[in-house]
Amino acid sequence: MTATAFLETPPGRRLAYHKSEGAGPTVVFLGGLKSDMEGTKAVHLEDWARARGQAYLRFDYSGHGESSSRFEEGCIGDWHEDTVAAVSALTDGPLIVVGSSMGGWQALLLAKAMPERIAGMVTIAAAPDFTEDGYWASFSDEQKQALETVGHVELPSDYMEPYIITKRMIEDGRTRLVLRSPLNLPFPVRFLQGTADTAVSVDTAVRLLDHASGPDMRLLLVKDADHRFSDGPCLGLIEDAVRDVMGTN
């Protein structure tokens, strides 16, 4: 395992990353909310890419993993800036973007920011617009009031310690929504979704598929797979999807 490297971004955040040199296109893994680059999927794909001689990048958003800042200070826009900074500074040429959960939203934001760089996309339980359609839509009047008076609410998670959701995250999320306006994905796209996912629903996956436009877009539903999507068969499906959008299957 190589040592973690660090990138100083224009806004002054310090991002931890691992980069493997190899042939293009570069595979870039975008993790989920409060996940980090040491997760099963991120590390598995790195091993897979190295075995193929494929260029690969995984990194921690600010407030995640080994990067600077606290999670509670961040928002979707900050993590989008981190993604653009990492991709711009650390990669060249075409990209295959793999986004998990919140990373799926980040992948879609990256596609809007630099469509000319993206050669293919794979999402795993993509969670576009979740701050509005998941959090805000489900908040009680008391929770909405707490956002105004306290500045945050604490939400339980099935997968880790509670999430601290701030007023800034909700308000910034409204400026980053991708399901309210045209979303063109002019490259091969594979959406992967487990039917036993308690964090992102199948309805969300279908809504994304229906909303987005593009010449080569497919949704694969995996019966009984949960939000982690990290067991052996699911990891194999991720590999297949990456090969598929590369056109190497």
Side-chain angles (χ1 to χ4, degrees), residues 217-237:
M217 194 177 304
R218 302 175 200 171
L219 167 62
L220 175 65
L221 298 179
V222 183
K223 186 172 176 60
D224 295 332
D226 65 13
H227 191 63
R228 292 186 178 91
F229 213 87
S230 291
D231 64 13
C234 286
L235 293 173
L237 291 173

Side-chain angles (χ1 to χ4, degrees), residues 101-159:
S101 194
M102 189 269 285
W105 188 358
Q106 292 295 340
L108 298 170
L109 290 171
L110 188 65
K112 293 171 76 75
M114 47 177 64
E116 72 285 352
R117 292 285 311 275
I118 299 181
M121 179 182 294
V122 175
T123 69
I124 306 148
D129 299 7
F130 72 86
T131 53
E132 190 71 11
D133 298 333
Y135 291 156
W136 181 256
S138 66
F139 281 171
S140 64
D141 290 341
E142 290 78 10
Q143 287 173 313
K144 290 178 180 179
Q145 183 62 30
L147 275 186
E148 292 297 326
T149 57
V150 183
H152 70 269
V153 296
E154 187 173 301
L155 299 180
S157 168
D158 289 344
Y159 299 97

